[in-house]
Amino acid sequence: MFTGIVTDVGEIASLTPTAQGQLHRLRIACRYDRAFIADGASIACNGVCLTVVASGVESGKTWFDVDAAAETLGMTTAKHWGVGTRLNLERALKIGDELGGHIVAGHADGVATIVSREDLPDMARFVLRTTRDLARFIAVKGSITLDGVSLTVNTVDDVTFSVLIIPHTLTVTTIGGWRAGSEVNIEVDLMARYAARLTEMK
């Protein structure tokens, strides 16, 4: 489990397609302490929970390897990732850690497309569009995870919604580089999903 509070921005150092392109082995450079990255650990990469299969240090910089499988490549923006792509990173939540965002599973539900970006004094407002299936879980003042970042929904209009991004978040995540037309990974709020399921079963 994660909280949607990004703790580093990594960069893909290498990408190797395997299994006839159905699996991508990614090497991600980061600033984490190598001593605290164990094989089998979970790290959210742009909101996608991936398993560490190897790690090390090269030229004084930590790296870790993960595999992105066919489902991940098909459902998320991972299919567009390449060498040099910057990724929001978050290590798995530990018992006793501060829950600064909201409960995030790291299981992206799909993608949302950025409709527009409006730069405001000290903030940025983004309008995004998603599918009708996912839009039903999005509510004003509710939580949403976009590229691994826990955000609060500002407005909702059918299948579009908006978020306001504060300066700190623009600085310490990849959101500062978002542009209209780009796709981002989306994970809807877990509580909203269960509430909808309970309603359906009545």
Side-chain angles (χ1 to χ4, degrees), residues 111-126:
V111 298
T113 302
I114 300 171
V115 177
S116 64
R117 170 178 179 154
E118 181 184 3
D119 288 304
L120 305 167
D122 296 325
M123 289 192 299
R125 179 176 184 269
F126 293 90

Side-chain angles (χ1 to χ4, degrees), residues 111-152:
V111 298
T113 302
I114 300 171
V115 177
S116 64
R117 170 178 179 154
E118 181 184 3
D119 288 304
L120 305 167
D122 296 325
M123 289 192 299
R125 179 176 184 269
F126 293 90
V127 176
L128 302 100
R129 179 186 297 110
T130 190
T131 63
R132 188 163 297 280
D133 283 346
L134 295 181
R136 67 195 183 100
F137 299 114
I138 301 172
V140 173
K141 296 186 181 180
S143 296
I144 193 81
T145 309
L146 299 176
D147 269 358
V149 183
S150 172
L151 298 169
T152 301

Side-chain angles (χ1 to χ4, degrees), residues 38-121:
D39 288 358
S42 296
I43 297 180
C45 304
N46 266 16
V48 180
C49 178
L50 297 174
T51 301
V52 174
V53 296
S55 61
V57 176
E58 185 175 344
S59 301
K61 193 158 192 178
T62 301
W63 58 265
F64 63 92
D65 287 351
V66 292
D67 290 327
E71 182 176 2
T72 298
L73 296 174
M75 286 189 58
T76 73
T77 62
K79 58 181 167 288
H80 303 309
W81 296 353
V83 173
T85 298
R86 298 172 72 241
L87 303 172
N88 294 318
L89 304 178
E90 182 187 356
R91 295 173 59 200
L93 182 67
K94 296 183 181 69
I95 298 298
D97 283 353
E98 180 179 343
L99 185 60
H102 69 285
I103 295 295
V104 176
H107 303 153
D109 294 299
V111 298
T113 302
I114 300 171
V115 177
S116 64
R117 170 178 179 154
E118 181 184 3
D119 288 304
L120 305 167

